[in-house]
Amino acid sequence: MSQQNAPMITFARLPEVPLDQITAHMSDPRVTRHLPLMPDHWDDGASRDLVAAKEASWAREGLGHWAFLQDGAYVGWGGFQKEGAEWDFGLVLTARAFGLGGVITRQALEFARGEPRISEVTFLLPPSRHSLRGLARMGATQVGRVTYDGAEFLKFHIDVTRPG
């Protein structure tokens, strides 16, 4: 995709997004089928808890999850979260934005390259995700499978000290 045709993606804080948009996003079965840790029911209270938890990461780590906006419209959330000694990058897009994962991830990795605390980034993807070529094109390698809260994930790693 050329720079001319690239969508305008901006990162905002999650509290800037109306809760009903997050609730609709997180209640969409096209999205939740790829979220093995997702509870059976999602409502505005769950959205409020999600936003609070992600904001707490900003307070604790100085880094966390953003809302992603395309031309000002909410298209998902994600960001960096400390998992033990590793920085993990997660991304949950709305169904209409599924094709934006690569664009957003590359932008986030550029941010990570400028963040002195981050030298490596991990990604945990559910086995239901079959299209993994984009991660390989970004330089990520699969390092195995892990179980997290009883769900299995494919684990990938990328060294962000190398130019993207």
Side-chain angles (χ1 to χ4, degrees):
M1 180 181 301
S2 74
Q3 287 292 86
Q4 251 179 338
N5 297 333
M8 177 59 168
I9 302 295
T10 54
F11 294 11
R13 294 294 278 269
L14 277 168
E16 297 174 39
V17 177
L19 280 180
D20 64 327
Q21 289 184 29
I22 296 171
T23 300
H25 170 204
M26 298 302 290
S27 299
D28 186 334
R30 295 170 295 177
V31 173
T32 60
R33 72 183 202 134
H34 294 295
L35 300 173
L37 299 177
M38 185 75 180
D40 291 335
H41 176 72
W42 194 275
D43 58 18
D44 284 346
S47 293
R48 194 173 298 106
D49 292 346
L50 171 82
V51 171
K54 299 312 180 189
E55 284 297 296
S57 180
W58 281 100
R60 185 178 55 254
E61 304 291 345
L63 192 55
H65 288 75
W66 296 281
F68 300 119
L69 310 175
Q70 178 185 18
D71 300 321
Y74 173 74
V75 294
W77 62 271
F80 297 99
Q81 181 170 312
K82 198 81 160 150
E83 295 290 343
E86 300 175 319
W87 284 99
D88 186 70
F89 179 75
L91 177 63
V92 182
L93 295 175
T94 62
R96 73 177 181 85
F98 280 168
L100 295 176
V103 171
I104 292 170
T105 301
R106 280 189 292 281
Q107 209 170 319
L109 289 174
E110 268 313 302
F111 172 89
R113 285 183 176 90
E115 173 56 56
R117 296 176 293 167
I118 302 176
S119 60
E120 301 174 333
V121 173
T122 60
F123 304 85
L124 299 178
L125 298 175
S128 64
R129 292 288 312 272
H130 297 292
S131 179
L132 304 172
R133 290 183 307 273
L135 274 179
R137 283 192 300 271
M138 287 181 229
T141 55
Q142 187 170 352
V143 294
R145 291 176 177 258
V146 297
T147 301
Y148 187 81
D149 282 351
E152 186 174 17
F153 292 88
L154 307 175
K155 184 175 182 176
F156 292 81
H157 167 270
I158 189 167
D159 179 347
V160 294
T161 62
R162 297 181 192 171

